[in-house]
Amino acid sequence: FFLSSFLTFLMIFPSIFLYKEPKKEIKQKPLSMVLKEIFLVLKDFKFVGLIFIYSVGFWVLYFQMYDSVLWYFKDYINMEPVNKFINKIININFQFNEAHITVLNAFTIILLQIFVSKITSRFKALPTMAAGIFIAIFGMFLFGFFHSPYTFILGIFIFSIGEMVAHPKFISYISIISPEDKKALYMGYLFLYGVIGSSIGGILAGFSYHFFVEKLNSPRALWLFFCSIGFVSIIGLLIFNKLILKKK
């Protein structure tokens, strides 16, 4: 926490000395207009429906990285072979723990996002979203059904690739279905996925881990449950695209 605070403090200096505020016309909206725009977006069934399907599907799975995946790792995965392998190469007394899971997810995105985006830019938004969710499901299947520490790491890596494939295309898809004159407004509210996904994902993680793992003693049933949520979201997206949206 001290290190995080210090690094955040350092961000003050480039903000003060390097950043220049661009000149722009200041437009102040009355509160009534802001509330009207919120209502305008939230009453759009197509927009809210897409956000809900995507949030309950992919983002519920994503937020397991901060909940059930960490509990599962602590209870079932023995990382000693990985620790020995790394320390044999570089003797730093390395110990893979829960924190490295989220680090691995972030590092994979930092390393590969540009390359993945370059590849996926050639394809249509919704099929690419569905493919990304499927890749994430496969990653979750790997670390859920095989107790090897290496398949666990591989599963996290593959899940992260699925995230890189799906999420940028989700943002692209929102821009496609938004009204031409209100794209900026709609793009501002697409982050509802985080609110919905984290809220449902966190609560669902606790109940499902207690039921499948602690009560039924079946961790595989837990991951089958979450994988099925991902498959349902893929089907939901395809149905949404086919039946609800009118083709231009």
Side-chain angles (χ1 to χ4, degrees):
F1 286 110
F2 285 122
L3 177 61
S4 178
S5 300
F6 176 70
L7 293 176
T8 306
F9 170 75
L10 292 180
M11 295 165 65
I12 292 175
F13 297 102
S15 301
I16 294 174
F17 297 109
L18 299 180
Y19 177 74
K20 293 183 180 180
E21 186 75 29
K23 293 181 180 180
K24 58 185 177 181
E25 184 181 351
I26 299 175
K27 296 180 180 179
Q28 292 184 343
K29 295 180 181 179
L31 180 60
S32 59
M33 178 61 71
V34 175
L35 295 175
K36 184 178 179 181
E37 288 182 343
I38 294 174
F39 180 74
L40 178 70
V41 173
L42 296 181
K43 76 174 185 178
D44 188 329
F45 174 73
K46 291 187 294 185
F47 176 75
V48 174
L50 175 63
I51 294 288
F52 184 78
I53 294 171
Y54 183 67
S55 302
V56 174
F58 175 75
W59 281 93
V60 164
L61 302 187
Y62 171 79
F63 280 105
Q64 299 315 304
M65 293 293 165
Y66 302 93
D67 295 303
S68 56
V69 172
L70 304 183
W71 307 330
Y72 172 76
F73 167 80
K74 192 173 181 181
D75 292 341
Y76 288 94
I77 305 299
N78 178 18
M79 298 302 292
E80 197 57 35
V82 174
N83 297 334
K84 288 181 179 178
F85 176 75
I86 294 176
N87 288 319
K88 191 174 182 180
I89 299 174
I90 307 172
N91 189 15
I92 56 174
N93 195 25
F94 176 80
Q95 297 292 321
F96 193 103
N97 58 40
E98 294 91 331
H100 291 102
I101 295 172
T102 50
V103 169
L104 180 61
N105 173 255
F107 178 74
T108 304
I109 293 171
I110 292 170
L111 190 66
L112 298 177
Q113 181 66 76
I114 293 175
F115 301 102
V116 172
S117 295
K118 194 176 178 82
I119 295 171
T120 57
S121 63
R122 307 171 188 173
F123 304 103
K124 291 183 178 180
L126 191 129
T128 308
M129 283 171 59
I133 296 173
F134 180 81
I135 293 170
I137 292 170
F138 180 68
M140 186 167 278
F141 176 83
L142 273 183
F143 65 65
F145 276 74
F146 302 95
H147 291 174
S148 165
Y150 297 104
T151 53
F152 182 81
I153 292 174
L154 179 62
I156 299 294
F157 178 78
I158 293 174
F159 185 93
S160 303
I161 292 177
E163 178 187 349
M164 287 185 276
V165 172
H167 192 56
K169 284 298 183 179
F170 165 70
I171 298 173
S172 173
Y173 196 63
I174 291 292
S175 69
I176 292 171
I177 69 169
S178 303
E180 289 294 332
D181 59 336
K182 295 183 178 66
K183 287 189 182 295
L185 176 63
Y186 275 67
M187 294 296 283
Y189 285 94
L190 68 84
F191 293 100
L192 287 170
Y193 70 80
V195 178
I196 298 171
S198 60
S199 301
I200 297 177
I203 295 171
L204 191 62
F207 282 104
S208 57
Y209 197 86
H210 171 69
F211 179 75
F212 291 112
V213 179
E214 296 176 348
K215 191 174 181 180
L216 298 182
N217 194 28
S218 179
R220 289 187 174 181
L222 173 73
W223 302 118
L224 274 177
F225 171 68
F226 282 119
C227 288
S228 66
I229 290 176
F231 279 116
V232 169
S233 72
I234 292 175
I235 296 170
L237 286 172
L238 297 177
I239 294 174
F240 176 89
N241 188 63
K242 187 76 174 177
L243 301 181
I244 297 179
L245 287 181
K246 294 180 180 179
K247 293 186 177 180
K248 295 183 180 180

